[in-house]
Amino acid sequence: MSSWKEAYIARDDLVEYGDNGLALFSLALRFGIDDLDTVAADAITDGSDDKKCDMVYLNIEEEYAVIAQCYFSNKEKSCAPSNKASDLNTGIGWLLQRNIEEVPERIKSAASEIRSSIKLGNIKTLYIWYVHNLPESQNVETELVTVQETAKTAISNQFPEAKVDVHFVEIGDGTLTSWYEESLSPILVNDEFEVKIEGGYSIDGPAWKSYSTAIPAQFLYRQYKNHKTKIFSANIRDYLGSRSADSNINNGIRRTIESDPKNFWVFNNGLTILTHSFNVDNGKKLSFNGLSIVNGAQTTGAIGSLNKLPDKDAKVQARFVAMTNSDQDLIHKVIQFNNSQNKVEASDFRSTDKFQKRLKEEFALIPEAEYEGGRRGGSGDAIRRRPNMLPSYTVGQALACFQQDPIVAYNQKTAIWVSDRLYSKYFNENTKAAHIVCAYALVRAVESRKKQLLDKSKKSTLPSHEEEYLDYFRQRGSIFLLATAIVSCLEIMLGRKVPNIYRISFGNTTSPKQAEENWDSILDATLPFCTQLNRGLTGGLKNTNTVKEVVNTFRSLVQATTASNKSIYQEFATKITAP
């Protein structure tokens, strides 16, 4: 079996991020994030004036943030330097405590966003990471305990009403090994469990045994609260979340368990739970080791996102399955067939709807492009880069930009797939694979332009205008706002009306890489106006009215300079296939 080191080395796309590449790799292992380039565009700080914060990652939808310091050694050592861990005290101070006007531009946007998110209650867990490739040590842990207390004190003083759990993690060779091995297993929750039951029956096979019974809905509620989506590790490729904020998801299940708990058992199809082993005590108690819900994420997510503990009378059918050997092929088939037999799926299961099926067929015709249509991989898939893959979440964000919704693109990348309203806005009968490639390539082109400026700034002093561009890009949400602003100018660039934005594409024979190159000349022409968008990013990409105002200003400037860029726009228009 390969090691995490081999898997990391294989991620040649992370080389450009230096030591910070290991932090990105750790995000993939820990949270199953598959589009690290898009994450890096906002989360990785740059330059010497980052105040000891190499990465500041916020996931508002999952209600957590990660502040990381990174160190990579090319020599074998017994442990990582502890002073790098203590440096995080400095980072915490600048991000959470210092007057925001004194915070360096490189991290000001990150500081503003994390403060605002904590104040609004959008961050419930703060992870403090010291990421390195050496063995963990007691000296580093001692320093991180101090950093944890610093963070707790800062949050208590600055945001007395906030309730934020602060956790420190030294992510060294041992932790990376553990996380990597977990990513290869279908069961990520390996705790010991006990649950009261009222009888059941067992059936054994040649390499498996099972026990069918009914378990309290309260048990599922507690496990979802404790472990979140880790309990769906065996079918996480088809699970896109169920959160209390999503009022339209699984409403039927919620209403039933709240209003008619005694009949919930007969109304619901139940669960299949993969476990390492189990034991039944006189039909009254079930003890088992390991928990992964192979079939029933919809039910569990709905129960787990209730506002309070469900009634004690609510029971759920459950079939526990344990393998009596390590036949990986058999385990894979159990997972595959249990998931494929679902006939009724919640609206957070998109990969099998008619639009995604059609899009996947269309993508088969596009060169150097892969698309899985809403299927999100777990950690095991996230760490294995597929160069031609268009990650589903980034596709959704790109489509949101084309529909002039940069706030959704930046703040609600999961909601795009979960919310029926948002999903149907971006994915419908008008959405074509070629259009997705066009939209996705624009976001990638903007990200690439930011990288180019960063690389250039590390080698020499930038001209004043390029320094202004880079200052713009250092703000959170800047990539999606600029992409949106450029799309708003398409009619100016094409010299005609665009009655249906979904018809805009480079055609079915254009690869995502070529499409990205097609946008380069447009970036050359429009990037000088990016500073006009700054006001839309003040305090975070949140204010719809302000965003509209700055995009209108941006479009006016593009209109005013049409003559000087006429040849660029005419050349670009020849690449667009929409009539």
Side-chain angles (χ1 to χ4, degrees):
M1 182 173 64
S2 64
S3 67
W4 74 262
K5 294 179 181 178
E6 291 172 304
Y8 178 58
I9 291 172
R11 289 296 301 260
D12 53 4
D13 59 313
L14 299 181
V15 172
E16 63 183 286
Y17 300 109
D19 292 4
N20 298 332
L22 192 57
L24 293 170
F25 184 73
S26 299
L27 279 179
L29 287 176
R30 175 65 178 82
F31 298 110
I33 297 170
D34 58 357
D35 190 357
L36 295 180
D37 282 330
T38 296
V39 167
D42 268 328
I44 297 298
T45 58
D46 59 286
S48 58
D49 199 18
D50 60 13
K51 298 304 180 184
K52 313 302 182 182
C53 299
D54 292 330
M55 182 176 75
V56 183
Y57 174 66
L58 276 71
N59 188 322
I60 302 302
E61 292 176 302
E62 298 285 356
E63 300 179 330
Y64 70 85
V66 179
I67 298 173
Q69 174 77 311
C70 309
Y71 173 78
F72 193 94
S73 175
N74 292 315
K75 299 179 180 179
E76 290 190 12
K77 298 180 180 180
S78 60
C79 62
S82 58
N83 66 299
K84 295 282 287 184
S86 62
D87 283 346
L88 281 160
N89 282 304
T90 301
I92 295 295
W94 282 99
L95 284 174
L96 300 179
Q97 291 181 301
R98 291 292 292 267
N99 185 313
I100 194 66
E101 297 305 320
E102 299 175 359
V103 177
E105 288 298 326
R106 295 180 193 275
I107 63 168
K108 180 180 287 187
S109 182
S112 177
E113 186 175 33
I114 196 170
R115 294 180 193 194
S116 173
S117 299
I118 291 174
K119 184 177 181 179
L120 293 172
N122 294 330
I123 294 296
K124 299 295 176 60
T125 306
L126 174 62
Y127 296 99
I128 300 171
W129 285 4
Y130 178 26
V131 186
H132 58 77
N133 62 326
L134 298 169
E136 286 89 348
S137 71
Q138 184 59 52
N139 287 340
V140 168
E141 181 176 343
T142 300
E143 293 294 344
L144 289 177
V145 169
T146 302
V147 176
Q148 181 186 44
E149 292 305 312
T150 298
K152 287 182 177 180
T153 300
I155 292 172
S156 177
N157 290 339
Q158 300 296 318
F159 315 98
E161 302 299 320
K163 296 181 180 179
V164 181
D165 292 325
V166 181
H167 301 280
F168 72 84
V169 186
E170 181 185 6
I171 304 175
D173 179 65
T175 301
L176 289 167
T177 297
S178 176
W179 286 0
Y180 180 71
E181 290 176 352
E182 283 182 352
S183 75
L184 304 179
S185 169
I187 301 176
L188 298 188
V189 177
N190 294 294
D191 298 352
E192 298 283 347
F193 300 96
E194 284 188 0
V195 60
K196 292 182 179 180
I197 59 175
E198 298 176 5
Y201 62 91
S202 62
I203 296 179
D204 297 347
W208 54 269
K209 62 177 186 175
S210 70
Y211 190 79
S212 296
T213 184
I215 59 176
Q218 290 185 350
F219 173 81
L220 293 175
Y221 175 88
R222 292 188 175 105
Q223 300 318 313
Y224 183 85
K225 293 297 186 187
N226 288 338
H227 301 290
K228 298 296 185 184
T229 57
K230 287 184 74 174
I231 62 175
F232 307 118
S233 56
N235 75 352
I236 196 169
R237 290 183 62 80
D238 287 319
Y239 184 74
L240 294 174
S242 178
R243 298 168 181 77
S244 57
D246 306 320
S247 59
N248 61 318
I249 298 300
N250 296 325
N251 276 334
I253 294 176
R254 291 190 181 123
R255 284 196 299 268
T256 301
I257 201 165
E258 289 176 329
S259 63
D260 199 0
K262 292 183 179 180
N263 285 321
F264 187 76
W265 183 91
V266 77
F267 292 154
N268 188 268
N269 289 330
L271 318 176
T272 296
I273 297 174
L274 193 63
T275 184
H276 296 304
S277 62
F278 63 81
N279 182 66
V280 182
D281 184 1
N282 294 322
K284 299 295 184 184
K285 182 175 69 174
L286 177 68
S287 304
F288 58 100
N289 169 245
L291 169 67
S292 183
I293 297 172
V294 176
N295 182 11
Q298 169 187 343
T299 296
T300 308
I303 292 172
S305 59
L306 291 170
N307 293 324
K308 63 179 181 180
L309 191 69
D311 190 280
K312 61 181 178 58
D313 290 328
K315 300 290 194 299
V316 183
Q317 299 181 70
R319 177 177 60 166
F320 291 82
V321 178
M323 299 297 153
T324 54
N325 62 34
S326 57
D327 186 342
Q328 293 298 313
D329 184 59
L330 178 60
I331 294 173
H332 174 75
K333 287 180 178 178
V334 169
I335 295 169
Q336 176 186 353
F337 294 137
N338 271 273
N339 280 301
S340 64
Q341 289 170 4
N342 294 337
K343 300 301 182 185
V344 180
E345 296 181 327
S347 54
D348 58 352
F349 290 80
R350 305 296 188 183
S351 61
T352 58
D353 79 13
K354 61 181 180 181
F355 300 128
Q356 297 303 329
K357 284 183 176 179
R358 173 179 55 77
L359 287 170
K360 283 182 279 188
E361 291 173 357
E362 292 177 6
F363 263 97
L365 303 175
I366 293 178
E368 300 176 15
E370 294 183 59
Y371 177 70
E372 291 197 333
R375 293 170 65 85
R376 182 185 64 166
S379 297
D381 295 296
I383 62 175
R384 296 174 181 85
R385 179 175 180 257
R386 294 160 65 178
N388 295 332
M389 177 60 66
L390 278 65
S392 296
Y393 279 9
T394 312
V395 164
Q397 291 172 297
L399 291 176
C401 291
F402 252 70
Q403 294 296 321
Q404 300 298 288
D405 293 333
I407 295 175
V408 172
Y410 182 64
N411 296 293
Q412 297 179 269
K413 66 178 182 180
T414 302
I416 290 171
W417 293 88
V418 173
S419 163
D420 287 334
R421 179 184 63 82
L422 291 176
Y423 178 79
S424 61
K425 182 175 182 180
Y426 309 133
F427 295 98
N428 51 60
E429 60 276 357
N430 291 311
T431 313
K432 309 297 182 184
H435 174 69
I436 287 177
V437 169
C438 182
Y440 174 83
L442 174 57
V443 171
R444 284 289 188 245
V446 177
E447 290 175 356
S448 295
R449 190 57 60 98
K450 176 181 179 179
K451 289 180 184 178
Q452 292 168 14
L453 288 168
L454 282 172
D455 291 343
K456 187 175 179 180
S457 70
K458 294 172 184 177
K459 298 173 183 176
S460 61
T461 301
L462 293 177
S464 59
H465 67 285
E466 289 188 342
E467 189 61 51
E468 289 181 353
Y469 302 164
L470 190 52
D471 286 343
Y472 168 79
F473 278 129
R474 287 191 176 112
Q475 299 176 89
R476 301 277 170 130
S478 58
I479 288 170
F480 297 117
L481 183 55
L482 179 56
T484 299
I486 290 173
V487 172
S488 77
C489 301
L490 278 176
E491 290 188 344
I492 298 171
M493 298 168 183
L494 300 178
R496 54 181 167 79
K497 284 284 186 181
V498 179
N500 186 347
I501 196 69
Y502 291 101
R503 301 289 297 278
I504 296 296
S505 79
F506 298 118
N508 290 325
T509 60
T510 301
S511 70
K513 186 63 179 176
Q514 180 58 55
E516 184 178 331
E517 293 175 3
N518 288 349
W519 283 110
D520 282 343
S521 62
I522 298 299
L523 274 172
D524 291 337
T526 57
L527 193 57
F529 311 125
C530 69
T531 56
Q532 301 299 319
L533 301 173
N534 282 329
R535 192 163 56 87
L537 299 168
T538 303
L541 186 53
K542 299 174 183 176
N543 191 302
T544 302
N545 291 332
T546 304
V547 165
K548 288 181 178 179
E549 290 173 5
V550 298
V551 168
N552 285 339
T553 301
F554 182 95
R555 185 168 57 249
S556 297
L557 292 170
V558 170
Q559 177 72 67
T561 55
T562 302
S564 59
N565 291 312
K566 184 177 180 180
S567 60
I568 293 175
Y569 296 155
Q570 287 179 336
E571 173 66 20
F572 178 75
T574 64
K575 300 172 184 176
I576 297 294
T577 62

